[in-house]
Amino acid sequence: QGNIRVVCRLRPMSDREKKTGTTPAVSASSERREVLVTKMVSGGTRQVRSSFHFDEVLTSFSTQGEVFTQTLDPLVDEVLSGYEATCFAYGQTGTGKTYTMEGDLSDEASRG
């Protein structure tokens, strides 16, 4: 591993998104460490897919435990060994940064 790792985590769809029938525009593969973004162009008559690769990819089905194991656990080990470490969450408003860091506080199994 290098000094900087970039991890992408797709958050689960919200209840509001599920109720309104929102179709996900993003899919992910942890095995391929790939995120696929699909968008409609030409007035909604054609789909364009873009592929992005990361050091790790966590899907909307990843548990909070998996998120911790893949992202923060290695940093904790480094800090306990005397090194400095930083975790930086970046993204647009509503994309899941708080969910990734805290999880669902009302559900013990889903807490961050």
Side-chain angles (χ1 to χ4, degrees):
Q1 290 182 356
N3 291 331
I4 297 175
R5 292 178 53 231
V6 179
V7 179
C8 180
R9 196 266 174 106
L10 276 60
R11 67 164 172 78
M13 291 183 69
S14 69
D15 289 337
R16 183 177 54 105
E17 291 166 331
K18 291 175 188 175
K19 285 179 187 173
T20 60
T22 301
T23 303
V26 180
S27 61
S29 168
S30 296
E31 294 78 28
R32 290 190 309 273
R33 295 181 287 172
E34 176 182 54
V35 173
L36 292 172
V37 178
T38 305
K39 66 179 179 178
M40 298 302 287
V41 294
S42 302
T45 60
R46 204 179 91 195
Q47 285 187 349
V48 174
R49 291 186 179 184
S50 301
S51 174
F52 301 92
H53 291 86
F54 298 90
D55 295 312
E56 297 289 340
V57 171
L58 300 161
T59 71
S60 59
F61 300 105
S62 298
T63 66
Q64 288 300 98
E66 291 168 335
V67 172
F68 179 81
T69 300
Q70 293 295 323
T71 59
L72 295 177
D73 196 31
L75 295 181
V76 171
D77 291 340
E78 293 293 315
V79 169
L80 293 175
S81 295
Y83 297 97
E84 294 180 356
T86 300
C87 176
F88 182 73
Y90 178 79
Q92 222 175 315
T93 299
T95 57
K97 297 175 302 295
T98 301
Y99 181 85
T100 293
M101 300 301 274
E102 294 182 1
D104 181 355
L105 299 177
S106 65
D107 178 17
E108 189 170 334
S110 299
R111 290 184 192 155

